[in-house]
Amino acid sequence: MIETRITPFSEKIVSPLNKKEINILQINLGKRCNLACNHCHVEASPKRTEELSQEICQDLIEIIYKFPQIKIVDLTGGAPEMNYGFKSLVKAAKKTGKQVIVRSNLTIYFVAGFEYLPEFFAENQIRIVASLPCYLADNVDKMRGNGVFDDSIQALQWLNKLGYGKDPNLILDLVYNPQLPENEKFSLTPEQHNLEIAYKQFLKNNFNIVFNNLFTITNLPVGRTKFHLERKQLYSSYLQFLESQFNQSTVDNLMCLEQISVDYLGNIYDCDFNQMMNLPATDKDGNHLTVSKLLKSGSLDLINEIKTADYCYGCTAGCGSSCGGALV
């Protein structure tokens, strides 16, 4: 079997990816989650225990207070709501006038001890970016577990009753992920605008649910998605497919340009995917960065060049893919 050669991403782009001024602080609070989705690049599950420590949480709160250039605090996981420091980080971000995004799996609202979350989100005007990888029950349950679709629908109806999707201060966005490929008939995510219309019509007509935006996100070959592709002997061919769909016009809008991603240990990365693949961000001298180093230096802008890898083709294929959906 001939190994497919993938052009290094750094050779594909016209020029190196240089960091802009940081305005998004994305924090992965830990790997604890009530679900174990088969496409999860974080490999989160109920069995995982890794989460923020009190010390790292305090450093992050200090960063939120110290740097007004941060406009958005983006909380993810695992289920971020289950991990240490969640409410403290929300409160710090709100006190400093920053927008808070929580990447929620929706089903967490029905886990004992977390029933307070929808009201807490509404009171703090948190923007919810919720995973609903399809509007059909069978597809969702296949990816995320039996009963997840029904719980997600109930959660969305709950959020709607609180004003989410209706009140301009209560933004509710949904995330679409494609099914994991079973053969070499690969495809990119559907066109975002048209799929959003289909989602809105189906959810409104069948469940009287409304929401603001749909984000289409490509499955990058990282974490459980990578393991799935390797089991099916599709990893190299999937990377080749993503490279064949490379779109230079997406590059200027990549999410890694204006954000830093922080793990539960306080290490700094250019994005959440680099975090999961242990590709840390470095300063101009090649030193790995941490939240404590940022605080000591008094600057968030110590990264010159963004670290790239083959899986970056997932963010630049077709219309592009990011935490905020399509790029072009």
Side-chain angles (χ1 to χ4, degrees):
M1 182 176 175
I2 299 174
E3 183 68 21
T4 303
R5 183 182 183 275
I6 305 298
T7 305
F9 187 79
S10 59
E11 295 179 13
K12 180 73 74 169
I13 52 180
V14 173
S15 59
L17 290 181
N18 294 318
K19 211 75 163 178
K20 300 179 182 178
E21 183 180 70
I22 300 301
N23 57 46
I24 301 173
L25 176 65
Q26 186 176 70
I27 305 168
N28 190 304
L29 281 78
K31 297 181 182 290
R32 190 190 307 273
C33 189
N34 59 307
L35 300 178
C37 302
N38 65 13
H39 65 297
C40 180
H41 70 279
V42 181
E43 301 172 56
S45 80
K47 295 180 180 180
R48 303 298 292 263
T49 59
E50 305 96 318
E51 63 180 347
L52 281 184
S53 66
Q54 185 175 359
E55 179 184 4
I56 299 301
C57 184
Q58 287 304 311
D59 283 346
L60 287 166
I61 289 171
E62 188 175 346
I63 280 181
I64 289 169
Y65 274 96
K66 188 171 184 176
F67 296 103
Q69 72 189 74
I70 297 172
K71 306 303 179 188
I72 298 172
V73 176
D74 185 344
L75 303 177
T76 184
E81 306 98 324
M82 294 186 76
N83 291 276
Y84 179 84
F86 174 72
K87 288 202 288 186
S88 298
L89 291 167
V90 168
K91 291 175 180 177
K94 295 304 295 184
K95 282 183 180 179
T96 52
K98 306 180 194 310
Q99 183 186 53
V100 180
I101 295 175
V102 172
R103 298 188 181 273
S104 180
N105 67 32
L106 296 173
T107 64
I108 186 65
Y109 313 156
F110 304 106
V111 174
F114 297 97
E115 302 92 341
Y116 74 94
L117 284 169
E119 283 79 8
F120 176 76
F121 290 167
E123 289 168 5
N124 289 280
Q125 297 185 344
I126 291 171
R127 183 171 187 166
I128 300 173
V129 178
S131 179
L132 191 70
C134 185
Y135 53 72
L136 301 177
D138 288 348
N139 287 344
V140 171
D141 287 357
K142 181 180 178 182
M143 292 178 75
R144 308 187 69 207
N146 291 335
V148 168
F149 180 80
D150 289 342
D151 282 350
S152 299
I153 292 299
Q154 290 184 53
L156 291 171
Q157 291 170 334
W158 187 352
L159 293 171
N160 278 174
K161 288 180 181 177
L162 294 172
Y164 270 98
K166 304 171 185 178
D167 184 327
N169 294 311
L170 299 177
I171 304 298
L172 173 60
D173 301 322
L174 301 183
V175 174
Y176 164 88
N177 291 93
Q179 298 284 310
L180 295 180
E182 297 294 332
N183 52 51
E184 292 191 351
K185 293 180 180 179
F186 303 124
S187 61
L188 296 177
T189 58
E191 198 279 326
Q192 183 169 280
H193 176 69
N194 290 336
L195 187 60
E196 179 180 296
I197 292 172
Y199 259 72
K200 286 185 172 179
Q201 288 178 341
F202 185 89
L203 293 176
K204 177 65 175 176
N205 292 341
N206 289 275
F207 305 106
N208 199 32
I209 287 170
V210 296
F211 66 95
N212 295 97
N213 308 288
L214 179 73
F215 299 147
T216 56
I217 298 183
T218 300
N219 287 322
L220 267 69
V222 172
R224 290 198 188 114
T225 295
K226 180 183 180 183
F227 300 149
H228 170 87
L229 291 167
E230 289 173 338
R231 282 196 302 272
K232 299 288 183 179
Q233 297 185 317
L234 296 171
Y235 178 72
S236 293
S237 53
Y238 184 63
L239 274 175
Q240 183 184 35
F241 167 74
L242 293 176
E243 181 189 351
S244 73
Q245 301 297 314
F246 173 75
N247 181 355
Q248 178 67 40
S249 66
T250 63
V251 174
D252 287 342
N253 298 318
L254 287 170
M255 61 184 177
C256 55
L257 296 175
E258 298 177 330
Q259 76 164 27
I260 52 174
S261 172
V262 187
D263 70 9
Y264 64 92
L265 295 172
N267 299 304
I268 305 295
Y269 304 82
D270 292 306
C271 71
D272 198 45
F273 299 113
N274 279 2
Q275 181 182 145
M276 296 311 136
M277 295 300 286
N278 196 28
L279 185 61
T282 58
D283 63 16
K284 60 182 176 56
D285 297 320
N287 300 308
H288 293 177
L289 294 173
T290 63
V291 288
S292 60
K293 287 181 181 179
L294 296 182
L295 286 169
K296 188 175 181 179
S297 72
S299 174
L300 296 180
D301 300 301
L302 301 180
I303 303 166
N304 290 337
E305 189 173 326
I306 293 166
K307 296 291 191 298
T308 62
D310 290 345
Y311 49 80
C312 296
Y313 283 118
C315 293
T316 54
C319 291
S321 177
S322 75
C323 290
L327 297 173
V328 296

